[in-house]
Amino acid sequence: MKYVLVSVVLFIFSCKSQKQQKQIDKRLTLLVQDGYFPVENPETQVIKDIKSLRAFFSKVNQTRKPGLAVPEVDFNTHSVLVACMGTAKTSAFPVMYLKKESSEEIMVSVQMPDENKAATVQSYPFCVYSLSDEGKKIILKME
């Protein structure tokens, strides 16, 4: 009986911490993550229109059958953030976090998780996020 009670208490506290993490980043939404966008060096970009988003996904889908669908984004209120990590020996995907915000700009951090660093498979991981930007300048910073 004690073990069940301890398990339930631990479960409640672990769920609470996950909810807090989601609330911090609620304006930043993951749209797509995948293991193949063939660039040698890491690069980031902020996309502010549908034409640029379609151009990015046409590069992503050059070697895919079927290709990834272009996500629907309201560019009046949102921007799309892209991080391509270049050549990596990992099965992890990059993750974005809101790092700092002022009245004029939003700083977003791009990080690679430490998990699976010993992977032997070469990949080209990337991620695509949507951010409610409220007309602010967006700065993407690789860490």
Side-chain angles (χ1 to χ4, degrees):
M1 186 67 176
K2 288 181 184 179
Y3 295 112
V4 173
L5 183 61
V6 170
S7 298
V8 169
V9 170
L10 288 174
F11 179 74
I12 290 171
F13 284 115
S14 68
C15 289
K16 199 174 202 182
S17 67
Q18 290 174 356
K19 288 179 184 176
Q20 288 174 347
Q21 179 66 30
K22 288 181 182 179
Q23 289 174 351
I24 292 170
D25 295 340
K26 69 180 176 183
R27 292 182 17 205
L28 196 57
T29 306
L30 177 65
L31 299 176
V32 176
Q33 65 182 10
D34 197 76
Y36 189 73
F37 184 78
V39 293
E40 293 298 318
N41 299 314
E43 60 183 55
T44 61
Q45 70 183 80
V46 178
I47 298 175
K48 299 224 176 233
D49 60 74
I50 190 67
K51 183 178 178 184
S52 299
L53 184 61
R54 285 186 182 139
F56 172 77
F57 272 88
S58 71
K59 290 179 187 176
V60 168
N61 291 329
Q62 283 179 346
T63 59
R64 296 175 191 271
K65 299 282 187 224
L68 298 176
V70 177
E72 291 185 28
V73 177
D74 179 6
F75 284 102
N76 294 321
T77 59
H78 289 75
S79 294
V80 173
L81 313 177
V82 176
C84 303
M85 302 311 288
T87 306
K89 289 207 179 220
T90 180
S91 60
F93 300 109
V95 179
M96 292 187 190
Y97 301 96
L98 290 176
K99 186 170 183 174
K100 188 174 154 185
E101 184 173 2
S102 69
S103 59
E104 294 141 10
E105 64 186 26
I106 300 171
M107 183 175 289
V108 177
S109 171
V110 180
Q111 299 176 350
M112 277 299 286
D114 288 336
E115 58 193 54
N116 300 329
K117 285 228 176 196
T120 57
V121 176
Q122 187 170 356
S123 65
Y124 300 86
F126 74 95
C127 64
V128 179
Y129 282 77
S130 161
L131 173 66
S132 172
D133 61 9
E134 301 168 355
K136 298 178 182 180
K137 179 181 176 183
I138 300 171
I139 299 170
L140 282 172
K141 184 177 180 184
M142 293 251 197
E143 296 187 358

